[in-house]
Amino acid sequence: MDNILGYKNQNVVITGAASGMGAAATALLIEAGANVYALDIGDVTAPVTKALKVNIMDKASIDAALTELPDTIYSLFNCAGVPHPPTPVYETIMINFVGLRYLTEQLLPRICEGGAIISIASTAGMAWRVNLERVQEFLALDGFEAASDWLKAGNELGQQADAYGFSKQCIIVYTMQMAGELAKHHKRINCIAPSPTDSAFMDSLATAGIGKDVTALFCPSNGDFATGADMGNAVVILNSKLAGFISGCNIPVDYGYVAEVTMGQRNNMLEISL
């Protein structure tokens, strides 16, 4: 059972490694023997192979980091993310999706056969079906600058999506759109949709007046908030060799919340669809 996850001596890249879900995944990857290249605007304290200061909403910052990353990569973990509110609309979408997509597509040629990409979406993004036309319009914009210009122009995000929800809808749709093409090259892509998670992210929401009394409405029936480790474990498993035939999936990691909504056992306040 040695190296059951397949990470031993493999190069992996992870964003958002300084805290929360990213930090939890980073710790597990180190334990699994991976060479971890950690990207974050904050300080990464884990004993990674290399820590790089990166502002994921700044193309030049990403480009500088790319020069420091290895030529061959086994897995990419897109864990960086911010809440809205309090983060402004433009920054939220640039960090949560535009920078994520740019980094992913720059690294795709370096990801080896059998390699994988995982991103963190949200149950808040699972209304993607009702906003699909707007999401696809945004995804069709060619490149980092075009997406930035579109957002700066003040375009409406659609009635069903706030900035945070829209950014996570983009992750989910992008993941599904990319799966077929990546399969031709024996590479995988997935995302997870966490339920409310007790983290610094949640603390940021609280400063904007969205406390646990509100977010608890979207917790599973056990009443628990997830931990960063719950989500870190999930992304590490999904990018591992154990999940080698799973691709193109948005996987709720929510102790059954989405299942309850789908079966009509909970009010579908988020307009969730699978």
Side-chain angles (χ1 to χ4, degrees):
M1 300 293 283
D2 183 46
N3 197 30
I4 190 170
L5 295 175
Y7 289 114
K8 192 171 183 179
N9 299 321
Q10 298 280 12
N11 297 326
V12 304
V13 176
I14 182 166
T15 69
S19 62
M21 302 174 192
T26 297
L28 190 54
L29 289 164
I30 293 169
E31 186 178 345
N35 305 319
V36 181
Y37 292 78
L39 281 56
D40 204 300
I41 198 167
D43 295 325
V44 176
T45 58
V48 297
T49 302
K50 181 175 282 190
L52 299 168
K53 285 271 191 176
V54 179
N55 180 350
I56 203 69
M57 65 175 282
D58 183 338
K59 184 174 179 287
S61 182
I62 297 172
D63 287 340
L66 289 169
T67 67
E68 302 291 322
L69 298 177
D71 293 335
T72 301
I73 295 166
Y74 180 65
S75 289
L76 170 62
F77 297 80
N78 291 313
C79 298
V82 293
H84 169 77
T87 310
V89 170
Y90 175 80
E91 294 178 18
T92 297
I93 300 173
M94 291 298 294
I95 293 168
N96 289 0
F97 179 70
V98 178
L100 176 155
R101 180 176 66 171
Y102 181 72
L103 176 65
T104 298
E105 296 191 348
Q106 295 306 301
L107 290 180
L108 270 177
R110 305 189 199 183
I111 295 177
C112 62
E113 284 196 11
I117 300 156
I118 189 79
S119 304
I120 297 178
S122 173
T123 49
M126 290 183 68
W128 62 270
R129 285 185 187 273
V130 297
N131 204 42
L132 183 58
E133 183 177 352
R134 176 64 78 179
V135 171
Q136 289 180 322
E137 175 189 344
F138 188 63
L139 295 186
L141 296 171
D142 187 19
F144 190 99
E145 292 86 354
S148 175
D149 291 344
W150 188 91
L151 292 170
K152 287 178 178 177
N155 292 279
E156 292 295 329
L157 297 180
Q159 293 181 346
Q160 287 80 27
D162 63 5
Y164 179 77
F166 181 76
S167 70
K168 299 302 184 176
Q169 290 171 9
C170 288
I171 290 174
I172 293 168
V173 175
Y174 176 73
T175 296
M176 293 188 286
Q177 285 185 345
M178 290 291 289
E181 184 60 32
L182 292 185
K184 298 174 185 176
H185 304 282
H186 301 278
K187 302 175 185 182
R188 300 184 298 111
I189 185 168
N190 294 291
C191 59
I192 67 167
S195 56
T197 303
D198 200 0
S199 63
F201 184 101
M202 192 73 68
D203 295 338
S204 294
L205 283 177
T207 65
I210 304 173
K212 284 189 173 182
D213 56 330
V214 175
T215 50
L217 297 171
F218 308 103
C219 283
S221 285
N222 61 13
D224 290 347
F225 284 83
T227 66
D230 291 326
M231 303 305 155
N233 292 347
V235 297
V236 169
I237 290 169
L238 285 166
N239 261 8
S240 78
K241 69 179 183 181
L242 290 181
F245 222 73
I246 300 174
S247 192
C249 297
N250 173 51
I251 300 174
V253 183
D254 61 1
Y255 225 109
Y257 171 78
V258 167
E260 292 182 80
V261 169
T262 302
M263 293 297 101
Q265 297 163 342
R266 297 278 290 273
N267 186 0
N268 192 1
M269 293 181 284
L270 296 175
E271 298 190 84
I272 284 170
S273 58
L274 291 174

